Coordinates of all heavy atoms in Angstrom, one line a residue:
E218 N -2.1 0.6 -23.4 CA -3.5 0.9 -23.2 C -3.8 1.0 -21.7 O -4.5 1.9 -21.2 CB -4.4 -0.1 -23.8 CG -4.4 -0.1 -25.3 CD -5.2 1.0 -25.9 OE1 -5.8 1.8 -25.1 OE2 -5.3 1.2 -27.1
D219 N -3.2 0.1 -20.9 CA -3.4 0.1 -19.4 C -2.8 1.4 -18.9 O -3.4 2.1 -18.0 CB -2.8 -1.1 -18.8 CG -3.5 -2.4 -19.1 OD1 -4.7 -2.3 -19.6 OD2 -3.0 -3.5 -18.7
S220 N -1.6 1.7 -19.3 CA -0.9 2.9 -18.8 C -1.6 4.2 -19.1 O -1.7 5.1 -18.3 CB 0.5 3.0 -19.3 OG 1.3 1.9 -18.8
L221 N -2.1 4.3 -20.3 CA -2.9 5.5 -20.7 C -4.1 5.6 -19.8 O -4.4 6.7 -19.3 CB -3.4 5.3 -22.2 CG -2.3 5.5 -23.3 CD1 -2.9 5.1 -24.6 CD2 -1.8 6.9 -23.3
G222 N -4.8 4.5 -19.5 CA -6.0 4.6 -18.6 C -5.6 5.0 -17.2 O -6.4 5.9 -16.7
V223 N -4.5 4.5 -16.6 CA -4.2 4.9 -15.2 C -3.7 6.3 -15.1 O -4.0 7.0 -14.1 CB -3.2 3.9 -14.6 CG1 -3.8 2.5 -14.5 CG2 -1.9 3.8 -15.3
V224 N -3.0 6.8 -16.1 CA -2.5 8.2 -16.1 C -3.7 9.1 -16.2 O -3.8 10.1 -15.5 CB -1.5 8.4 -17.2 CG1 -1.1 9.9 -17.3 CG2 -0.2 7.6 -16.9
R225 N -4.6 8.8 -17.2 CA -5.8 9.6 -17.3 C -6.6 9.7 -16.0 O -7.0 10.7 -15.6 CB -6.7 9.0 -18.4 CG -8.1 9.7 -18.5 CD -8.9 9.0 -19.5 NE -9.1 7.5 -19.3 CZ -10.0 7.1 -18.4 NH1 -10.9 7.9 -17.8 NH2 -10.2 5.8 -18.3
T226 N -6.8 8.5 -15.4 CA -7.6 8.4 -14.2 C -6.9 9.2 -13.0 O -7.6 9.9 -12.3 CB -7.7 6.9 -13.7 OG1 -8.4 6.2 -14.8 CG2 -8.5 6.8 -12.5
T227 N -5.6 9.1 -13.0 CA -4.9 9.9 -11.9 C -5.0 11.4 -12.1 O -5.2 12.1 -11.1 CB -3.4 9.5 -11.9 OG1 -3.2 8.1 -11.7 CG2 -2.6 10.2 -10.8
I228 N -4.9 11.8 -13.3 CA -5.0 13.3 -13.6 C -6.5 13.7 -13.2 O -6.7 14.8 -12.7 CB -4.7 13.6 -15.0 CG1 -3.2 13.4 -15.3 CG2 -5.0 15.0 -15.4 CD1 -2.7 13.5 -16.7
E229 N -7.4 12.9 -13.6 CA -8.8 13.3 -13.4 C -9.2 13.3 -11.9 O -9.9 14.2 -11.4 CB -9.8 12.3 -14.1 CG -9.7 12.5 -15.6 CD -10.6 11.5 -16.3 OE1 -11.0 10.5 -15.7 OE2 -10.9 11.7 -17.5
D230 N -8.7 12.3 -11.1 CA -9.1 12.1 -9.7 C -8.2 12.7 -8.7 O -8.5 13.2 -7.7 CB -9.3 10.6 -9.4 CG -10.4 9.9 -10.2 OD1 -11.1 10.6 -10.8 OD2 -10.4 8.7 -10.1
G231 N -6.9 12.8 -9.1 CA -5.9 13.4 -8.2 C -5.6 12.6 -7.0 O -5.1 13.1 -6.0
K232 N -5.9 11.3 -7.0 CA -5.6 10.4 -5.8 C -5.0 9.1 -6.2 O -5.5 8.5 -7.2 CB -6.9 10.2 -5.0 CG -7.5 11.4 -4.3 CD -8.7 11.1 -3.5 CE -9.2 12.3 -2.8 NZ -8.3 12.9 -1.8
V233 N -4.0 8.7 -5.5 CA -3.3 7.4 -5.7 C -3.1 6.6 -4.4 O -3.3 7.2 -3.3 CB -1.9 7.6 -6.4 CG1 -2.1 8.3 -7.8 CG2 -1.0 8.4 -5.5
L234 N -2.8 5.4 -4.6 CA -2.5 4.5 -3.5 C -1.1 3.8 -3.7 O -0.7 3.6 -4.8 CB -3.6 3.4 -3.3 CG -5.0 3.9 -3.0 CD1 -5.9 2.7 -3.3 CD2 -5.1 4.3 -1.6
A235 N -0.5 3.4 -2.6 CA 0.7 2.6 -2.8 C 0.3 1.2 -3.3 O -0.8 0.8 -2.9 CB 1.4 2.5 -1.4
G236 N 1.1 0.6 -4.1 CA 0.8 -0.7 -4.6 C 1.4 -1.9 -3.9 O 1.6 -1.8 -2.6
G237 N 1.6 -3.0 -4.6 CA 2.3 -4.1 -4.0 C 1.5 -4.8 -2.9 O 2.1 -5.5 -2.0
G238 N 0.2 -4.8 -3.0 CA -0.7 -5.5 -2.0 C -0.9 -4.6 -0.7 O -1.6 -5.1 0.2
A239 N -0.3 -3.4 -0.6 CA -0.4 -2.6 0.6 C -1.9 -2.2 0.9 O -2.4 -2.3 2.0 CB 0.4 -1.4 0.5
P240 N -2.7 -1.7 -0.1 CA -4.0 -1.3 0.2 C -4.9 -2.5 0.7 O -5.7 -2.3 1.6 CB -4.6 -0.8 -1.2 CG -3.4 -0.5 -2.0 CD -2.3 -1.5 -1.5
E241 N -4.7 -3.7 0.1 CA -5.5 -4.8 0.5 C -5.3 -5.2 1.9 O -6.2 -5.6 2.7 CB -5.3 -6.0 -0.4 CG -5.9 -5.8 -1.8 CD -5.0 -5.0 -2.8 OE1 -3.9 -4.6 -2.4 OE2 -5.5 -4.6 -3.9
V242 N -4.0 -5.2 2.4 CA -3.7 -5.6 3.7 C -4.2 -4.6 4.7 O -4.8 -4.9 5.8 CB -2.1 -5.8 3.9 CG1 -1.8 -6.1 5.4 CG2 -1.6 -6.9 3.0
E243 N -4.1 -3.3 4.3 CA -4.6 -2.2 5.2 C -6.1 -2.3 5.3 O -6.7 -2.2 6.4 CB -4.2 -0.8 4.6 CG -4.6 0.3 5.5 CD -3.7 0.4 6.8 OE1 -2.7 -0.2 6.8 OE2 -4.2 1.1 7.7
L244 N -6.8 -2.6 4.2 CA -8.3 -2.8 4.2 C -8.7 -3.9 5.1 O -9.7 -3.9 5.8 CB -8.8 -2.9 2.8 CG -8.9 -1.7 1.9 CD1 -9.5 -2.0 0.6 CD2 -9.7 -0.6 2.6
S245 N -7.9 -5.0 4.9 CA -8.2 -6.3 5.7 C -8.2 -6.0 7.2 O -9.1 -6.4 7.9 CB -7.2 -7.4 5.3 OG -7.5 -8.5 6.0
L246 N -7.2 -5.3 7.7 CA -7.1 -4.9 9.1 C -8.2 -4.0 9.5 O -8.9 -4.2 10.6 CB -5.8 -4.3 9.4 CG -4.5 -5.2 9.2 CD1 -3.3 -4.4 9.4 CD2 -4.6 -6.4 10.2
A247 N -8.5 -3.0 8.6 CA -9.6 -2.0 9.0 C -11.0 -2.7 9.0 O -11.8 -2.4 9.9 CB -9.6 -0.9 7.9
L248 N -11.2 -3.7 8.1 CA -12.5 -4.4 8.1 C -12.7 -5.3 9.3 O -13.8 -5.5 9.8 CB -12.6 -5.2 6.8 CG -12.9 -4.3 5.5 CD1 -12.9 -5.2 4.3 CD2 -14.2 -3.6 5.7
R249 N -11.6 -5.9 9.8 CA -11.7 -6.8 10.9 C -12.0 -5.9 12.2 O -12.8 -6.4 13.0 CB -10.4 -7.5 11.2 CG -10.1 -8.6 10.2 CD -9.0 -9.6 10.6 NE -8.8 -10.6 9.6 CZ -8.0 -10.6 8.6 NH1 -7.2 -9.5 8.4 NH2 -7.9 -11.5 7.7
D250 N -11.5 -4.7 12.2 CA -11.9 -3.8 13.3 C -13.4 -3.4 13.2 O -14.1 -3.3 14.2 CB -11.0 -2.6 13.3 CG -9.6 -2.9 13.8 OD1 -9.4 -3.9 14.4 OD2 -8.7 -2.1 13.4
Y251 N -13.7 -3.1 11.9 CA -15.1 -2.7 11.7 C -16.1 -3.8 12.0 O -17.2 -3.6 12.5 CB -15.2 -2.3 10.2 CG -16.7 -2.1 9.7 CD1 -17.4 -1.0 10.2 CD2 -17.2 -3.0 8.8 CE1 -18.7 -0.8 9.7 CE2 -18.5 -2.8 8.3 CZ -19.3 -1.7 8.8 OH -20.5 -1.5 8.4
A252 N -15.7 -5.1 11.8 CA -16.6 -6.2 12.0 C -17.1 -6.3 13.4 O -18.2 -6.8 13.7 CB -15.9 -7.5 11.6
D253 N -16.3 -5.9 14.3 CA -16.7 -5.9 15.8 C -17.9 -5.0 16.0 O -18.6 -5.3 17.0 CB -15.5 -5.4 16.7 CG -14.3 -6.4 16.6 OD1 -14.6 -7.6 16.3 OD2 -13.2 -6.0 16.9

């Protein structure tokens, strides 16, 4: 059920991110810069 949902979403949106905690670390750094 989870896999069906993510494949559907990917086809509909056409955008993905690398996993393994990568987006969260990148966002954390970007938000610290933004906080200034």
Side-chain angles (χ1 to χ4, degrees):
E218 291 284 358
D219 288 352
S220 290
L221 289 170
V223 295
V224 172
R225 170 185 60 83
T226 301
T227 302
I228 293 175
E229 289 177 347
D230 297 349
K232 290 183 180 295
V233 299
L234 297 165
E241 288 81 8
V242 177
E243 186 68 21
L244 284 182
S245 180
L246 294 175
L248 286 175
R249 288 193 178 93
D250 290 340
Y251 169 69
D253 293 337

